[in-house]
Amino acid sequence: MAGVCVIGLQWGDEAKGKLVDLLTGQFDIVVRYQGGANAGHTVVAGDKTYKLHQIPSGVLTPGVMNVVGPGVVLNPPVIIEEMDRLISQGVKFEGNLMLSDRAHVVLPWHIAEDQMLDKTATTDGESIGTTLRGIGPCYRDKVGRSYAVRLGDFYRDSFRQRIAGIVEAKKKMLAGISGESVSLDAAAICDEFHRYGERLAPHVGDTTAYLLDAVEAGKRLLFEGAQGALLDVDHGTYPYVTSSNSSGVGVSAGSGVPGRWIEKVIGVIKAYTTRVGGGPFPTELKDDVGSHIRERGREYGTTTGRPRRCGWFDAVAARYTARLSGVDSLSLMMMDVLSELPQINVCVAYEVDGVRTDRFPSHADDLRRAVPVYETLPGWQQDVTRVRRMEDFPANARSYIDRISQLIGRPVEVVSVGPDRQQTIFASGALSSVT
Ligand code: GDP
Ligand code: IMO
Ligand code: MG
């Protein structure tokens, strides 16, 4: 048994990057397997802040291999920029990064289409509010096949011809959406992406074979989820989701590692809830408490800088996604952000059309009508940023942690009280099965 997964259980930004970075030392390989440049994972180490979008957070630990699997949609200029920024921060890329030749590539027409479509309404008038990184159009082309380009295609003689054919089709498609002619220069795009291909070439390979060899050789794998389970394209708040399986169910498909190799799944949750972009959010706070959480938690997007919508912890949603993702234990982040509040609400059920339920609705319209049923817990009103042992938390903070664990039905093994690596508490015996 070889693999441990870190999965966000809310709408993303649960501080997965921080946890992955902390656990990396216990693993041989860290794997990203879905999403793309829409992700923004932050790792704070002392006075340095690293922002990872497509490169696994394991890259900050020397001696660990970092794999970007076939399920990721890769944006070459963005990954090169990301590498250069990390290099300027002292990170070395010396045989420690491998990109799947099967990964699909985000091209300029995907980004143009994402921008056009996000301006137009979805089913009920609210736009998805994507990260405008071309994620949805690229995944759609992957499934559609006819207009898809994979990283391995960059190194084939047919590359230029393939791009030229796709460009002609995309010009017509984009003009059809926007009503205006769209300029895409096939030769210029080929030249530009050929350069990117050359730069990335030393890192490109068959990651599926590499990972299968690794698990059979007894290597230890850490899977780094992107987004959160509520954004899962099949099981999330559709259509207000991303275009990949961002819950635990996506690990195998996106990496090529069979589920039977997965030993443990850690669900990451914030002590409250945030969401960026459109879509229903039953516990959203549009008042001063919401603004307080946003400012205290610095809840602004890592990728887009957008203010994140903030609200109370939603145990109905988190219980659903913990079950869906096969979560064994929880990592509860941002406990420090709630420190000043005299009272804290936790959503324990919904009322939909007057009927109480603890089921997470499958349709966004029903979730939109869900009225949260709250349980109110006393706040701790004490700074917890220097707490380093579970027993040192104020009694009300411990009660809060216990209540969340009870509502989700999983133990809390890790608690985070600030962005820094040091500001993390591991329950005694926690993660012992992965050490
Ligand atoms: P990810 O996408 O899940 O990796 O999360 P992001 O990096 O987008 O957002 C999490 C943010 O919270 C980052 O800015 C982290 O540095 C920060 N952070 C992580 N853990 C804590 C914590 O316990 N308390 C506070 N205040 N900030 C934290
Ligand atoms: P990390 O990995 C938070 C959201 C967008 C939008 C929806 C669809 O940092 O947790 P997309 O560009 O994927 O088509 O946008 O998904 N979204 C995220 N929200 N964290 C993320 O990643 C996200 N990636 C996408 O805001 O609502
Ligand atoms: Mg993020």
Side-chain angles (χ1 to χ4, degrees), residues 229-264:
L230 294 172
L231 289 170
D232 187 291
V233 65
D234 288 307
H235 307 283
T237 50
Y238 194 89
Y240 304 98
V241 292
T242 191
S243 302
S244 65
N245 285 118
S246 50
S247 69
V249 304
V251 177
S252 282
S255 67
V257 176
R260 65 191 293 267
W261 291 104
I262 292 164
E263 165 190 351
K264 179 163 183 163

Side-chain angles (χ1 to χ4, degrees), residues 188-203:
I189 291 171
C190 283
D191 290 345
E192 183 186 343
F193 279 75
H194 178 73
R195 281 200 307 279
Y196 300 145
E198 285 189 330
R199 167 78 191 268
L200 295 175
H203 305 285

